[in-house]
Amino acid sequence: MTLAMADWLVLLAYLLVVLGIGFYFSRRNTSTEEYFVGGRRFRGWVIGLSLVGTSISSITFLAYPADAFKTDWLRYLPNLALLPAMLVAAFVFLPFFRRGNMTSAYEFLEMRYGPSVRVYGAIAFLVAQLVRLAMILWLLSLLIQQVTGLSPQAAIVMGGLFVGLYTVIGGIDAVIWTDVLQTVILLLGGVVCLWVIVDALPGGLGQIWRDGSQAGKFALAPWQDGAPGATSWRLSLSEKTATMMLLIGLTNWLTEYSSNQNTVQRYCASRSTREARRGLWVYLFTALPVWAFYMFLGTALWVFFQSHPDSTASAILDGRERAEALMPHFITAYLPAGVAGLVIAAALAAAMSSLDSSINSVTTVGVVDLYRRHLRPGRDDRHYLKVAWAMAVAVTAAMIAGALWLNSADTKTLQDTATILVSLLGGGMLGLYLLGFLTRRGNARAAWAGIALTLVFTGWTVLTNKGLLPEALSAPFDLYYTGLIGNLLMFLVGYLVARYWPSARAASGQS
């Protein structure tokens, strides 16, 4: 990719602003309370926009347009379950985390089930986030390579060090405010892309609606043989119906807003429960349109390339090129100087907003749930702040090392390994939290019984997916529903064990 001077100036300005935010907030970080939750003073609109920046990541910028370009809007369907999930999060989950001046999502697990379950939840989160950090940094490095011509190793190290620098020195303040900035940049970049497309089409915006509708590109149905199939609303564990897609979305969103430290830390950083709840509404009414916009951008690109035939676009449609190459190709080949720099900044923002949040949340969980709680309790706050800085540096190093390994490894092997680890350790986490939120039953024994059986269940589905079991012993359902079934299993087993095999001690988290 050859960038004009205007593009480099736009990119440089963006990076300097992000770095400046990190250095500005570094002056405030004199306590762990400031470093982890920003003194608990953030307003709702800031929390909401930072949640958008954390959740949209590179998937929104690259995968959503690519999916709508190749197929239709079926993948948008699970996002519609965000509305009921937000209602549950705002009025059921949020009050629990706002009590007792919590900092970590896993403090609740100790209050409810005991310290051993808290450690399990923290370790499951750390493993999942470290894998996620390595994969996102590797994806970010691909864009850096394309823009700068650096080697893969140099791109990974430079990208990781830059994100790590402003995150380590700035703490949660820098993470939240850079996420707000990155959300705005991401939106602006997408709008610029759509403007270029509409300006190049003879029929403008109306042509996108007309041609896309005629081709079925707005359908919420499986894409088959170049056209949308029939939309089914049946309940089924053997096929991906619209109803099941919504249930999967609901499960994923409830998990995100009950047990993910990236989210819970925003609850805790809000100045009040009211502001935290307002942040959830800002997130809801920002994220849903943003996701829809980027799906629409993918449809617009399909219409654009129908009018302006392109060999790369054709290769993506027929499967000879990866769909995720669509946006980088469009940026490179069709955007004018200066505009390309802005859109590349948006792509960088999409990845960086996920990386900085995960580095900070991993650091918080490592210090609060493991180091301060079990390894070195009772030390002064300055000691824990120094440990937090050191741990953030270590997480950055681990992220870079993981991305470097990924660059030299078989990506399919790493993806499989990551999926297995995250599925095994994180399976059933929503069920565990729901048991604590919705009932008074359950203690460490019940929780561990649910965890053990969920691990066995998830391991069974992994073996099925690998084809390592005979047909008679394989899972008789679509493995897409592993998480949904696993959470139900966790809740039911925990509840039944608590009811029919109660321990001698009260189920109050004292076990």
Side-chain angles (χ1 to χ4, degrees):
M1 178 186 292
T2 302
L3 294 181
M5 180 58 68
D7 296 317
W8 285 111
L9 290 175
V10 170
L11 276 174
L12 181 62
Y14 165 70
L15 294 174
L16 287 176
V17 170
V18 170
L19 199 59
I21 290 173
F23 278 103
Y24 174 80
F25 285 111
S26 66
R27 300 175 299 173
R28 293 186 180 181
N29 291 317
T30 57
S31 68
T32 55
E33 180 76 0
E34 184 66 41
Y35 195 73
F36 294 146
V37 288
R40 305 180 194 270
R41 61 173 174 270
F42 287 99
R43 291 191 176 274
W45 70 269
V46 178
I47 292 297
L49 290 181
S50 75
L51 283 170
V52 175
T54 297
S55 66
I56 51 182
S57 74
S58 300
I59 293 175
T60 301
F61 193 84
L62 298 177
Y64 275 23
D67 206 52
F69 177 77
K70 283 201 70 170
T71 61
D72 57 19
W73 283 43
L74 179 64
R75 303 296 180 189
Y76 184 74
L77 196 57
N79 293 328
L80 297 178
L82 183 61
L83 175 57
M86 284 295 96
L87 292 172
V88 175
F91 296 103
V92 178
F93 301 161
L94 178 59
F96 281 95
F97 292 113
R98 291 292 305 179
R99 296 170 191 163
N101 225 32
M102 288 187 189
T103 300
S104 161
Y106 311 105
E107 292 176 80
F108 172 77
L109 292 181
E110 178 167 0
M111 292 171 57
R112 190 63 176 77
Y113 304 112
S116 63
V117 181
R118 176 181 181 179
V119 170
Y120 172 80
I123 291 175
F125 174 78
L126 292 178
V127 171
Q129 290 299 306
L130 288 173
V131 171
R132 179 174 182 262
L133 279 167
M135 296 186 73
I136 294 176
L137 177 58
W138 179 68
L139 290 171
L140 174 62
S141 74
L142 299 180
L143 179 61
I144 295 174
Q145 293 171 53
Q146 198 171 14
V147 171
T148 63
L150 289 171
S151 68
Q153 294 79 9
I156 288 170
V157 173
M158 286 187 62
L161 289 178
F162 180 83
V163 175
L165 176 61
Y166 76 78
T167 304
V168 170
I169 64 175
I172 191 65
D173 293 285
V175 168
I176 287 179
W177 281 107
T178 54
D179 282 356
V180 171
L181 170 66
Q182 287 154 356
T183 299
V184 174
I185 294 293
L186 182 72
L187 285 171
L188 189 56
V191 168
V192 167
C193 287
L194 183 61
W195 172 75
V196 171
I197 293 169
V198 170
D199 185 63
L201 289 174
L205 192 61
Q207 184 178 345
I208 298 173
W209 288 110
R210 183 181 65 254
D211 293 359
S213 298
Q214 289 175 356
K217 300 295 288 183
F218 294 106
L220 297 172
W223 194 260
Q224 302 167 344
D225 301 322
T231 301
S232 172
W233 294 93
R234 294 189 302 114
L235 288 172
S236 172
L237 291 176
S238 61
E239 58 180 315
K240 296 179 179 68
T241 67
T243 300
M244 297 307 295
M245 292 287 282
L246 287 170
L247 287 175
I248 289 294
L250 182 62
T251 302
N252 292 340
W253 289 123
L254 289 176
T255 301
E256 178 79 11
Y257 285 87
S258 64
S259 59
N260 190 320
Q261 175 65 17
N262 287 313
T263 302
V264 172
Q265 205 166 336
R266 300 315 199 274
Y267 297 163
C268 301
S270 304
R271 65 170 52 185
S272 66
T273 299
R274 180 181 179 184
E275 289 294 332
R277 193 168 285 144
R278 183 174 294 166
L280 293 180
W281 303 141
V282 170
Y283 171 70
L284 172 67
F285 293 112
T286 303
L288 281 178
V290 167
W291 292 322
F293 172 81
Y294 272 91
M295 294 294 289
F296 184 77
L297 182 59
T299 305
L301 284 167
W302 181 85
V303 175
F304 174 82
F305 284 119
Q306 297 300 303
S307 298
H308 302 80
D310 181 282
S311 59
T312 300
S314 299
I316 291 172
L317 285 174
D318 62 26
R320 288 180 289 118
E321 290 276 356
R322 292 185 59 178
E324 288 74 18
L326 176 68
M327 285 298 293
H329 171 65
F330 178 75
I331 295 168
T332 304
Y334 294 94
L335 294 186
V339 173
L342 176 64
V343 178
I344 292 169
L348 292 173
M352 290 164 58
S353 60
S354 296
L355 292 174
D356 58 20
S357 296
S358 289
I359 292 171
N360 186 263
S361 63
V362 167
T363 302
T364 302
V365 169
V367 173
V368 172
D369 293 293
L370 300 178
Y371 186 85
R372 185 167 66 189
R373 176 64 182 85
H374 294 286
L375 300 178
R376 291 290 187 274
R379 305 294 291 270
D380 63 84
D381 188 71
R382 184 68 183 173
H383 171 79
Y384 294 124
L385 180 60
K386 291 179 179 179
V387 171
W389 288 332
M391 192 170 293
V393 171
V395 171
T396 300
M399 171 184 71
I400 293 172
L404 288 171
W405 181 77
L406 173 57
N407 184 66
S408 61
D410 177 1
T411 55
K412 185 178 187 301
T413 299
L414 181 72
Q415 180 66 50
D416 288 348
T417 303
T419 301
I420 291 170
L421 281 173
V422 174
S423 298
L424 283 174
L425 293 175
M429 198 60 72
L430 172 62
L432 184 62
Y433 275 85
L434 287 179
L435 182 66
F437 290 141
L438 303 181
T439 78
R440 293 183 178 274
R441 294 186 182 276
N443 52 16
R445 175 187 290 176
W448 277 110
I451 291 169
L453 285 180
T454 304
L455 285 173
V456 171
F457 167 77
T458 308
W460 173 48
T461 62
V462 168
L463 293 175
T464 297
N465 187 48
K466 293 291 185 182
L468 299 177
L469 294 176
E471 185 67 27
L473 296 178
S474 297
F477 51 84
D478 191 318
L479 297 183
Y480 198 70
Y481 303 119
T482 298
L484 175 63
I485 299 172
N487 281 300
L488 288 173
L489 182 66
M490 173 73 83
F491 183 89
L492 290 174
V493 169
Y495 185 87
L496 292 174
V497 169
R499 180 171 183 178
Y500 295 109
W501 189 27
S503 65
R505 305 179 69 175
S508 60
Q510 301 293 320
S511 54

